[in-house]
Amino acid sequence: MKRRMHFGVVLVYSLVLYFSSCSAFYLPGLAPVSFCEEGNGSEDCQTGITLFVNRLDSVESVLPYEYDVFDFCKDVKEMRPSENLGQVLFGERIESSPYQVTFKKNVKCNSVCTKTYKKGSQEDATKLDFLKMGMQLNYQHHWIIDNMPVTWCYDVEDGQKYCNPGFPIGCLVTTDGRAKDACVINAEFNKKNTFYVFNHVDIKITFHSGTGEDWKGARLVAATLEPKSIKQTDEKNLNCETGVPMEVPGTFEADVSVVYTYSVTFQENNSIKWASRWDYILVSMPHTNIQWFSIMNSLVIVLFLSGMVAMIMLRTLHKDIARYNQVDQGDLIKLPTTKEKSSLLYDAQEESGWKQVHGDVFRPPRKGMLLSVFLGQGTQIFIMTFITLFLACLGFLSPANRGALMTCSVVLWVLLGTPAGYVSARLYKTFGGEKWKTNVLLTALLCPGIVFADFFLMNLILWVEGSSAAIPFGTLVAILALWFGISVPLTFIGAYFGFKKPAIEQPVRTNQIPRQIPEQSFFTKPIPGIVMGGILPFGCIFIQLFFILNSIWSHQMYYMFGFLFLVFIILLITCSEVPDLSDLMTDYHWWWRSFLTSGFTAVYLFVYAIHYFFSKLQIVGAASTILYFGYTMIMVLIFFLFTGTIGFFACFWFVNKIYSVVKVD
């Protein structure tokens, strides 16, 4: 037994190492890299520091673009590090830049290249217009040094410093003289209908010296820059300290020449350890207090729900079950006639609504095929989410490990086809279904097919717009191969074992003739109960949802997976308790009601996404709007299946439990 456990631990550890290395950033990945001065380099100590550039994105557009799409200086010997599936799906396109950096070699005002736009050239006019579009929509550069974002740190209100992992191409002063975005940082940016290009960057690289350590050279612990707009009048005598801003008129009436320059300085700081080098970026994001408020808010809701459930269990169910069993065991023996015995038993049963339907409570639901398919897919999503968040809490899916979160999710979803097939088949058999082939096909194809169709349509828009987020045809083929080559067969295997198992045995028999459902009050009717049921689970997550949407659409870094995992557990508890609070046992349609009551949280998520779009984002353009709501619909569908499945199984267990302790003839 110990040998088996030891082998299992070794196997799991090996798999974790394998997947973390597969989804890591370009080699050498997440391992520390040592740097030495020029002339002292070796295999384990580099002298050159490669500055990589990533896609450019904007908070005003959902369409990211590759660095090469804009007319910037390009690296002659362009290198593209290998990208994992998650990076490709998120539209990351990393390539080397022409900015040359050597360790501890300060550079002052080096020229990179000069871009000239001739007035009569249609090609130059197109390039300049695209550059202007990037400045108007505030597109941001994302540079990388030693797998670390090059940040632009600036002071914000209350003396706080914010470090942005990107910096703008430039900015615009509108025709009415209003300075947009980064133009507010300099009073010289004041000419109407004029663009200002940030054509110079002052890069500062901070390192931790290896002197006295058990490793050679030095390790980089921070990389910051300051963008500037400086017009160069003499390319042979560059001035990067002061000068008039680099203006690009709104109307292309004369030749425009932009000289791109950079400076590099190195600074030693041994107080910052390599393992904590991301802290200065994360600490500048003032989220911690809000996160604790979110947790406390969620815990209050959970305590409230738990109290309500406990009250129902103790006051109502416990007393009813005790009285019901007492009548069944003792009081009925004293009755002199069969008529009086039946009358007393009927009165005892009529006292509480849930006892009336013991002969109908496990009557198979309508559309049992669809419900079983939803529950199979929901189980797959639940296990995938749980494992992904758990690995993220352990640090395997940190922001430094680019694309790892999406890669892990996709791989887990593909490998978890077996539980989906098993749960769907077993429940469908319990519902009395016989069309097992249809059940298996729908489980494997229905919900993934809807997601893929939506994703493909969004990808067509990205292709048309020339965005870097457009998935290459080869990657689409690879995704289809994973789906049909691995996930579908695994779903069939799970369904085979599910159908081989006997149907789930119910604690009470089902009558042949359905009982008439009594008149219900407004709040116990299906639709009001379902609508109100989704409010409390949504109340647990809406604050955390704000940060998640920020990370997706506002391109902010998300790293608080510990908080997210805690909120996930709270959501799990809340979705489990909400259906039990509803008066679901007053009729035998509780199967769908339990699923839809928790699943309705997804509708509130969609409403919040609409509110977020109009109140928090500045997205413009039809394509970006369609993309936003297209991707949001995928999120809503996944969340609907996830929450609905939790609510169903919690209620299924609850109903089985209470009817198993009631003695029914």
Side-chain angles (χ1 to χ4, degrees):
M1 184 67 180
K2 288 183 177 179
R3 288 183 178 179
R4 289 182 180 177
M5 289 179 65
H6 178 71
F7 175 75
V9 170
V10 171
L11 180 62
V12 171
Y13 183 70
S14 302
L15 287 172
V16 168
L17 285 179
Y18 173 75
F19 281 115
S20 63
S21 62
C22 285
S23 58
F25 186 56
Y26 54 89
L27 294 175
L30 298 178
V33 179
S34 295
F35 293 91
C36 293
E37 294 183 57
E38 197 170 13
N40 297 327
S42 60
E43 289 185 2
D44 58 347
C45 196
Q46 303 178 16
T47 57
I49 300 174
T50 306
L51 194 157
F52 287 95
V53 292
N54 202 346
R55 66 175 186 179
L56 287 86
D57 52 38
S58 167
V59 294
E60 298 182 30
S61 175
V62 180
L63 302 167
Y65 289 101
E66 282 192 61
Y67 180 86
D68 286 348
V69 174
F70 291 91
D71 192 32
F72 297 133
C73 304
K74 297 175 178 59
D75 188 10
V76 178
K77 300 177 181 178
E78 184 180 288
M79 296 185 300
R80 288 184 177 267
S82 59
E83 294 167 339
N84 58 52
L85 181 61
Q87 288 177 283
V88 175
L89 291 176
F90 271 127
E92 291 197 9
R93 301 294 183 268
I94 300 172
E95 60 186 84
S96 58
S97 75
Y99 295 84
Q100 303 296 321
V101 182
T102 304
F103 181 68
K104 290 190 75 173
K105 184 178 180 181
N106 291 342
V107 174
K108 187 173 182 180
C109 203
N110 258 22
S111 174
V112 186
C113 73
T114 301
K115 294 292 182 178
T116 303
Y117 305 94
K118 301 290 184 182
K119 180 186 175 184
S121 172
Q122 183 61 41
E123 182 183 356
D124 287 350
T126 303
K127 290 179 180 178
L128 192 59
D129 286 342
F130 197 78
L131 188 65
K132 290 177 182 178
M133 181 276 296
M135 289 185 280
Q136 184 175 356
L137 296 180
N138 195 28
Y139 269 82
Q140 305 264 322
H141 284 282
H142 293 281
W143 290 3
I144 303 164
I145 286 180
D146 190 31
N147 194 29
M148 190 171 48
V150 182
T151 58
W152 177 31
C153 297
Y154 50 88
D155 294 327
V156 291
E157 57 187 14
D158 299 329
Q160 299 291 321
K161 180 170 283 191
Y162 176 73
C163 291
N164 185 3
F167 67 97
I169 298 173
C171 59
L172 166 68
V173 176
T174 60
T175 52
D176 58 355
R178 182 171 57 89
K180 282 190 63 180
D181 305 315
C183 277
V184 299
I185 64 175
N186 193 333
E188 295 183 7
F189 301 163
N190 53 24
K191 190 176 291 187
K192 294 182 179 180
N193 192 27
T194 302
F195 295 88
Y196 293 90
V197 183
F198 290 133
N199 59 327
H200 175 80
V201 287
D202 286 327
I203 303 172
K204 185 174 75 172
I205 299 175
T206 307
F207 64 90
H208 182 110
S209 176
T211 305
E213 305 283 353
D214 56 354
W215 39 270
K216 181 183 177 183
R219 291 175 179 174
L220 308 187
V221 292
T224 60
L225 61 73
E226 182 182 356
K228 294 180 179 179
S229 179
I230 301 173
K231 185 175 182 178
Q232 302 293 345
T233 55
D234 185 0
E235 292 187 32
K236 294 182 179 179
N237 296 305
L238 299 174
N239 178 17
C240 299
E241 298 297 329
T242 57
V244 295
M246 181 61 235
E247 299 175 355
V248 176
T251 54
F252 191 19
E253 297 177 345
D255 293 352
V256 176
S257 183
V258 182
V259 180
Y260 289 92
T261 56
Y262 72 105
S263 300
V264 181
T265 56
F266 286 85
Q267 179 182 4
E268 182 176 345
N269 187 344
N270 294 331
S271 63
I272 305 175
K273 302 296 183 183
W274 185 89
S276 58
R277 63 181 187 161
W278 284 69
D279 288 1
Y280 80 97
I281 304 173
L282 306 180
V283 169
S284 71
M285 300 179 181
H287 295 160
T288 307
N289 292 335
I290 301 175
Q291 291 291 336
W292 281 115
F293 171 76
S294 167
I295 299 299
M296 294 305 297
N297 168 69
S298 303
L299 285 175
V300 167
I301 293 175
V302 167
L303 290 173
F304 168 73
L305 282 174
S306 300
M308 293 288 289
V309 171
M311 184 178 67
I312 290 173
M313 294 289 289
L314 293 174
R315 289 191 175 184
T316 307
L317 291 178
H318 181 71
K319 291 180 180 179
D320 286 351
I321 291 170
R323 189 186 309 116
Y324 190 41
N325 289 339
Q326 183 181 3
V327 169
D328 190 42
Q329 293 174 359
D331 294 349
L332 295 181
I333 300 174
K334 301 176 183 178
L335 294 176
T337 65
T338 305
K339 183 177 180 181
E340 291 176 353
K341 177 179 177 180
S342 302
S343 175
L344 183 57
L345 180 59
Y346 179 79
D347 291 342
Q349 289 175 314
E350 283 294 310
E351 287 177 4
S352 183
W354 64 273
K355 291 182 293 188
Q356 300 176 21
V357 293
H358 67 81
D360 295 282
V361 69
F362 291 106
R363 188 174 302 282
R366 299 172 184 172
K367 307 292 182 183
M369 171 79 80
L370 185 61
L371 180 59
S372 63
V373 168
F374 281 172
L375 291 170
Q377 281 295 320
T379 303
Q380 187 175 9
I381 293 167
F382 167 73
I383 300 173
M384 176 200 74
T385 307
F386 179 82
I387 297 175
T388 301
L389 289 179
F390 182 72
L391 291 176
C393 287
L394 296 178
F396 290 109
L397 311 178
S398 68
N401 202 353
R402 300 174 187 276
L405 188 69
M406 178 61 77
T407 303
C408 179
S409 300
V410 172
V411 170
L412 284 173
W413 182 85
V414 168
L415 297 177
L416 289 169
T418 303
Y422 179 85
V423 169
S424 178
R426 189 88 190 275
L427 287 172
Y428 182 62
K429 188 173 183 178
T430 302
F431 296 158
E434 297 177 352
K435 299 178 181 178
W436 63 271
K437 294 179 181 178
T438 307
N439 174 262
V440 177
L441 288 172
L442 286 177
T443 304
L445 302 177
L446 179 62
C447 296
I450 294 172
V451 171
F452 185 82
D454 188 324
F455 183 77
F456 184 75
L457 289 175
M458 298 303 103
N459 204 52
L460 284 178
I461 297 174
L462 292 169
W463 269 337
V464 172
E465 296 291 332
S467 171
S468 70
I471 308 301
F473 180 74
T475 305
L476 283 177
V477 172
I479 292 173
L480 288 173
L482 289 172
W483 179 15
F484 287 100
I486 300 177
S487 181
V488 172
L490 288 175
T491 306
F492 272 78
I493 292 172
Y496 171 78
F497 287 107
F499 279 113
K500 289 283 284 185
K501 285 275 188 179
I504 299 172
E505 187 178 351
Q506 313 297 0
V508 292
R509 294 192 302 270
T510 301
N511 297 335
Q512 292 184 353
I513 301 174
R515 188 182 188 280
Q516 184 177 0
I517 300 173
E519 185 68 25
Q520 296 175 318
S521 64
F522 175 78
F523 291 105
T524 58
K525 288 182 179 179
I527 293 179
I530 290 169
V531 171
M532 291 186 296
I535 295 176
L536 290 175
F538 178 76
C540 293
I541 64 165
F542 79 97
I543 296 177
Q544 198 67 228
L545 186 63
F546 171 76
F547 295 112
I548 294 173
L549 292 178
N550 271 351
S551 70
I552 296 173
W553 304 115
S554 297
H555 314 293
Q556 294 184 10
M557 221 169 283
Y558 192 89
Y559 63 96
M560 296 165 288
F561 293 108
F563 284 112
L564 185 59
F565 189 73
L566 193 56
V567 170
F568 169 81
I569 299 299
I570 293 172
L571 176 66
L572 190 68
I573 298 170
T574 311
C575 288
S576 301
E577 292 177 342
V578 163
D580 298 337
L581 284 177
S582 304
D583 196 7
L584 299 174
M585 282 69 71
T586 55
D587 65 67
Y588 47 84
H589 298 313
W590 63 270
W591 307 90
W592 273 108
R593 284 187 64 179
S594 62
F595 184 87
L596 295 175
T597 299
S598 291
F600 203 80
T601 309
V603 177
Y604 291 107
L605 186 150
F606 182 66
V607 172
Y608 183 81
I610 296 173
H611 163 75
Y612 181 84
F613 178 82
F614 287 106
S615 64
K616 303 296 181 183
L617 298 179
Q618 300 94 40
I619 289 178
V620 293
S624 292
T625 303
I626 294 171
L627 287 167
Y628 175 86
F629 286 103
Y631 287 129
T632 298
M633 291 307 297
I634 294 176
M635 293 169 54
V636 168
L637 174 61
I638 292 172
F639 197 71
F640 170 71
L641 296 172
F642 168 71
T643 52
T645 300
I646 296 170
F648 174 87
F649 281 113
C651 198
F652 183 72
W653 176 85
F654 183 68
V655 174
N656 269 271
K657 196 70 176 175
I658 64 171
Y659 281 97
S660 65
V661 297
V662 174
K663 296 180 181 179
V664 179
D665 291 337

